[in-house]
Amino acid sequence: MKIARYFILIILALFLAACGKGEIESNMPEKQVEDFEFTTQDNETLSLEDLKGQWWVADFIFTNCTTVCLPMTSNMVHLQSKLKEENLQEVQLVSFTVDPEIDSPEVLKEYAEGYQADLSNWTFLTGYDFETIKDFSYNSFMSMLAKTPDSDQVQHTIRFFLVNPDGVIIKSYLGDQYEQMDVIIEDLKKVL
């Protein structure tokens, strides 16, 4: 009887180990990203449908930002470097501008080049008006956007959002904190 129980425990342990993929502990309610189709830095389009089947990390920035976008974009560069280092280049990075009136595709491309972003898996999006991105940010990512009175600055979230292959946001991270990029990498290793 003891041998049978021991054998069953070994089989169960092997089965659970074979299941492989771990789970990421979420820190927010899972939310489906709204359908979208926006313009890239290369004047092409990227849609939610294009990202289906892939893990991706999203953030909200703008090129004229004088505060949090600087460390956020630097951290996204670091994250992209870590993704390559860990052989996780299939993960997509998506930056939505919150200042679409200024951030044309050409401006975003120049911004990306200034950070030496590898555009093979990092896309910068524009091609909408402020109200559209404001609604999209709130409805999809539960994040408020607001124009700052008497200024050209926009208040926006500093979070990076991890989105699963079904387009569901499963976790957020503080995008202005360098060490959070390692947390994103560790979470991605659990599921890829």
Side-chain angles (χ1 to χ4, degrees):
M1 189 72 170
K2 280 185 174 179
I3 292 175
R5 257 193 269 162
Y6 181 70
F7 182 71
I8 290 171
L9 286 175
I10 289 175
I11 297 296
L12 182 60
L14 289 172
F15 175 75
L16 290 174
C19 289
K21 308 265 189 251
E23 287 189 26
I24 297 172
E25 188 176 321
S26 184
N27 61 356
M28 61 183 290
E30 291 184 0
K31 186 119 173 74
Q32 178 71 45
V33 175
E34 284 187 344
D35 194 26
F36 69 87
E37 184 174 321
F38 297 142
T39 305
T40 73
Q41 74 283 338
D42 294 320
N43 243 328
E44 298 173 353
T45 59
L46 182 78
S47 68
L48 179 61
E49 188 62 33
D50 295 329
L51 294 166
K52 287 281 170 108
Q54 302 176 75
W55 286 90
W56 51 289
V57 177
D59 74 343
F60 292 83
I61 54 97
F62 63 109
T63 63
N64 200 32
C65 180
T66 59
T67 57
V68 296
C69 299
L70 305 169
M72 288 174 65
T73 304
S74 293
N75 287 341
M76 193 70 92
V77 168
H78 175 64
L79 177 61
Q80 186 175 52
S81 175
K82 294 286 287 180
L83 289 169
K84 286 180 185 174
E85 195 177 293
E86 297 291 339
N87 204 22
L88 300 170
Q89 298 99 302
E90 70 272 17
V91 175
Q92 299 297 307
L93 306 176
V94 180
S95 293
F96 297 91
T97 182
V98 297
D99 191 7
E101 287 79 21
I102 299 290
D103 291 342
S104 66
E106 296 76 22
V107 169
L108 288 174
K109 182 131 186 184
E110 185 177 323
Y111 182 77
E113 288 169 352
Y115 279 93
Q116 298 179 349
D118 178 353
L119 299 176
S120 67
N121 70 328
W122 187 354
T123 306
F124 293 78
L125 293 176
T126 189
Y128 37 78
D129 59 27
F130 181 76
E131 287 304 313
T132 299
I133 194 62
K134 181 179 173 184
D135 291 345
F136 177 75
S137 177
Y138 182 75
N139 294 336
S140 292
F141 296 89
M142 297 174 282
S143 296
M144 303 289 284
L145 296 182
K147 291 188 177 184
T148 305
D150 303 321
S151 169
D152 62 354
Q153 298 297 290
V154 179
Q155 297 173 357
H156 61 90
T157 183
I158 59 168
R159 298 229 166 237
F160 286 7
F161 298 92
L162 182 61
V163 184
N164 76 13
D166 296 322
V168 176
I169 303 160
I170 59 168
K171 190 168 181 181
S172 71
Y173 310 82
L174 293 172
D176 65 340
Q177 294 186 7
Y178 185 82
E179 62 277 359
Q180 288 279 289
M181 303 310 103
D182 291 332
V183 177
I184 296 173
I185 293 293
E186 291 309 310
D187 282 345
L188 284 165
K189 284 178 170 179
K190 291 176 188 174
V191 295
L192 292 174

